[in-house]
């Protein structure tokens, strides 16, 4: 296990370094540059050139990368070219919003997914099971931006119950959290159900029933715990997907989180912001997958990594 | 790719002959069982209709998808000359829809097909050869697989500028690894299977064993996966286009159509709902098809 961790950790580090170089180069060789987002469209080419020179964008990219690394080592992550805010300030504000949204969605995903999935398995092939399964199929086939549009239309435009976007009041959190959670909840229902059904056929279940345990105690006390194992490794993936979907959901609801910030900074070619936050999100995703693998190994001692 | 496809059918019969339990070819059995599953049959019909619309629809489109006509804006469906109505600048929605479907076909079906071939070959070689080849391929797959498609696509959009290319690259780069991962796992078990050892014992060359006895047996899980991945590709393309990171107007990706109609939901909801229903129905159809295929093709699930 120890050497496995070291190897995985090393590989993760290599990937992150490669990703940082790719993002750094990619952003700079892409068409357009920050002068488009900062200066007026009618700015003279001399003004643009002076601006590029001030930012060091006229240097070869590898020189810029070196400077960037030096600054990083000193704890200077850079400032936004457009708002002038430091990366730390941005991280504080947008990061907190993303955490709030992500936590709310996670609570919904598991708060809905686990009980409903277990219930469907316990009542398999009854109308209850069919209703839950149907709900989960619908949830998985519904693209989140489409669900977002429908909910905005219904609850904001028609009924005027909830705001259609913005931040950061509790009522503004409801719609984005529901949309962000929908697909994950659907998948969790499905995984819990099939994982429980697999366990329900096992010998130990028959033993528990034979010794007279109530069905409730067997299903929710014994089977449910064992059925959770495959879900742990899925949780890492879930977190990664949450980060991905947040890009879309935050943009639609104008929820100022990290996803919104990243999309916005890429479109406006705000290099320091775009490169820092793309790497941050990549790191979160990669770390989540790594953690899930490790947690899976600990939860199920039969799995030993060679 | 053509070479692989041409060896599949006879090889499948070969594999079936090695297992006397089955009287029929596995494809024939599978099709009969799939046809009994009504939901899966419905799913495959929806997917087929979608493919036909995307391939042939644009040829028969009544208007140019980018042609604006402000005098005929916001017409509801079933209007004279505009079967599905027109959008806020008077473009014919039917003509835009079929082109939008073609775009999601290219990203969904096209890219998934290519990545399925690449991923299956890579996974099969990794699992069959083991050793350093396996280490390298698995190392790449481990990181690629499970990386959120949308985040990757947005990163590509940052590098290449927003456009369809970003969505296509992201879908392709993630999907092949998904196929490689599943196929490798299957092949690891298959290479020790008795019928493979028998093939080795009668002196078949390794590439031939791989192509004719191992690969046909991983086709089932790869196909199941493909149907989910096509749906995922379609969703990702539309989602990216919706937030402005994918196809750019006037190219009528379904996501672009929905984003543009968004501000007119109250007055002319059909600008948004028509492409929305198209996406939801094909994704639902593909998921049902995938579920059906899995039940039919995976004997372990009975």
């Amino acid at each position: 296990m120890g050497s496995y961790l070291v190897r995985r950790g090393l590989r993760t580090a290599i990937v992150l370094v490669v990703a940082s170089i790719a993002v750094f180069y990619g952003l700079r060789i892409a068409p357009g540059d920050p002068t488009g987002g900062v200066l007026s469209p009618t700015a003279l080419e001399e003004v643009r050139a002076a601006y590029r020179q001030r930012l060091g964008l006229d240097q070869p990219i590898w020189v810029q990368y070196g400077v960037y690394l030096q600054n990083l080592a000193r704890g200077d992550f850079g400032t936004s070219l457009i708002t002038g805010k430091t990366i730390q300030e941005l991280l504080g504000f947008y990061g907190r919003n993303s955490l709030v949204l992500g936590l709310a969605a996670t609570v919904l995903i598991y708060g809905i997914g686990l009980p409903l999935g277990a219930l469907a398995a316990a009542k398999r092939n009854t109308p209850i099971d069919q209703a839950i399964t149907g709900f989960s199929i619908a949830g998985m086939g519904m693209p989140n931006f489409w669900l977002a549009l429908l909910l905005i239309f219904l609850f904001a435009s028609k009924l005027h119950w909830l705001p259609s976007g913005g931040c950061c009041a509790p009522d503004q959190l409801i719609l984005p959290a529901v949309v962000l959670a929908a697909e994950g909840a659907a998948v969790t229902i499905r995984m819990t159900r099939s994982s429980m059904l697999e366990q329900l056929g096992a010998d130990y279940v028959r033993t528990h029933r034979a010794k007279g345990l109530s069905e409730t105690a067997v299903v929710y006390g014994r089977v449910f715990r064992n059925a959770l194992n495959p879900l742990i490794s899925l949780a890492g993936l879930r977190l990664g997907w949450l980060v991905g979907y947040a890009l879309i959901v935050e943009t639609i609801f104008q929820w100022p989180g990290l996803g919104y910030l990243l999309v916005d900074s890429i479109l406006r070619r705000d290099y320091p912001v775009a490169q820092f936050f793309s790497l941050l999100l990549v790191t979160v995703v990669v770390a989540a997958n790594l953690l899930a693998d490790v947690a899976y190994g600990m939860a199920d001692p039969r799995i030993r990594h060679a | 790719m053509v070479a692989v496809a041409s060896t599949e059918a006879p090889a499948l019969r070969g594999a079936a002959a090695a297992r006397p339990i089955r009287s029929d070819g596995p494809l024939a059995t599978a099709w009969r069982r799939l046809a009994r599953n009504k939901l899966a049959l419905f799913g495959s019909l929806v997917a087929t209709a979608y493919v036909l619309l995307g391939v042939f629809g644009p040829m028969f489109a009544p208007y140019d998808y980018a042609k604006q006509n402000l005098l005929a804006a916001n017409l509801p469906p079933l209007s004279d000359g505009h079967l599905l109505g027109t959008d806020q600048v008077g473009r014919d929605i039917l003509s835009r829809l079929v082109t939008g479907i073609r775009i999601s076909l290219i990203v969904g079906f096209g890219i998934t097909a290519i990545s399925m071939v690449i991923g299956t070959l890579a996974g099969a070689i990794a699992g069959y050869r083991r050793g350093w080849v396996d280490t390298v391929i698995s190392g790449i797959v481990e990181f690629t697989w499970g990386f959120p498609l949308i985040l990757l696509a947005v990163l590509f959009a940052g590098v290449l500028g927003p456009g369809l290319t970003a969505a296509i690259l992201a879908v392709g780069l993630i999907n092949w690894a998904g196929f490689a991962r599943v196929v490798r796992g299957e092949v690891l078990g298959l290479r020790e299977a008795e019928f493979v050892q028998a093939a080795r014992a009668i002196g078949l060359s390794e590439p031939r064993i791989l192509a004719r006895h191992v690969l046909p047996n991983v086709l089932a899980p790869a196909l199941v996966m493909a149907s989910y991945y096509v749906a995922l590709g379609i969703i990702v393309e539309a989602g990216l286009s919706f937030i402005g990171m994918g196809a750019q107007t006037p190219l009528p990706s379904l996501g672009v159509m929905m984003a543009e109609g968004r501000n007119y939901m109250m007055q002319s909801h059909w600008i948004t709902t028509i492409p929305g229903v198209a996406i939801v129905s094909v994704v639902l159809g593909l998921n049902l098809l995938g579920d059906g295929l899995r039940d039919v093709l995976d004997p372990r699930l009975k």
Side-chain angles (χ1 to χ4, degrees), chain A residues 196-273:
Chain A
M196 294 262 306
L197 287 182
E198 217 165 273
Q199 292 287 330
L200 280 170
D203 285 339
Y204 75 90
V205 176
R206 198 175 323 137
T207 312
H208 281 310
R209 282 190 182 132
K211 75 182 190 192
L213 272 187
S214 76
E215 189 62 20
T216 314
V218 172
V219 171
Y220 299 102
R222 304 303 197 280
V223 171
F224 187 60
R225 273 190 53 190
N226 288 321
L228 283 183
N229 276 345
L231 285 157
I232 295 176
S233 73
L234 197 74
L237 283 181
R238 265 297 111 217
L239 185 63
W241 276 98
L242 221 52
V243 172
Y245 285 140
L247 295 172
I248 288 185
V249 174
E250 290 179 355
T251 305
I252 293 179
F253 288 98
Q254 303 285 301
W255 179 269
L258 295 176
Y260 174 85
L261 181 63
L262 180 61
V263 169
D264 187 59
S265 63
I266 285 179
L267 285 176
R268 294 159 80 166
R269 314 217 73 79
D270 191 347
Y271 292 159
V273 180

Side-chain angles (χ1 to χ4, degrees), chain A residues 8 11-12 15 26 30 137 141 143 145-146 149 153 157 190 237 240 244-245 247-248 252 263 266-267 269 278 285-286, chain B residues 139 142-143 145-146 148 150-151 154-155 158-159 162 238-239 242 245 258 262 265-266 272-273 279-280 283 291 294:
Chain A
R8 278 287 314 246
R11 236 187 289 172
T12 309
V15 165
I137 290 178
F145 56 94
W146 176 227
L149 282 186
F153 184 64
S157 303
R190 203 182 152 86
L237 283 181
Y245 285 140
L247 295 172
I248 288 185
I252 293 179
V263 169
I266 285 179
L267 285 176
R269 314 217 73 79
S278 35
V285 168
V286 171
Chain B
E142 204 174 310
F143 266 111
W145 180 77
I150 296 176
L151 178 55
V154 167
L155 295 184
V159 170
F242 187 85
M245 287 292 203
M258 291 171 74
R262 189 184 164 184
M265 279 285 273
M266 290 297 274
T272 309
T273 41
I279 295 179
V280 172
V283 167
D291 290 356
R294 197 190 42 201

Side-chain angles (χ1 to χ4, degrees), chain B residues 203-275:
Chain B
L204 290 187
S205 72
E206 293 292 318
R208 193 179 161 87
I209 297 175
L210 188 58
R212 305 212 36 180
H213 297 274
V214 176
L215 271 183
N217 284 291
V218 300
L219 202 62
L223 273 180
V224 173
M225 203 149 183
S227 65
Y228 295 123
Y229 268 176
V230 172
L232 192 62
I234 289 175
I235 291 185
V236 166
E237 185 276 317
L240 283 171
S241 299
F242 187 85
I243 61 169
M245 287 292 203
Q248 301 290 309
T249 193
L251 202 60
S253 153
L254 299 177
V256 171
M257 293 175 73
M258 291 171 74
E260 290 183 344
R262 189 184 164 184
N263 294 329
Y264 307 89
M265 279 285 273
M266 290 297 274
Q267 307 86 26
S268 10
H269 64 83
W270 56 88
I271 304 175
T272 309
T273 41
I274 289 174

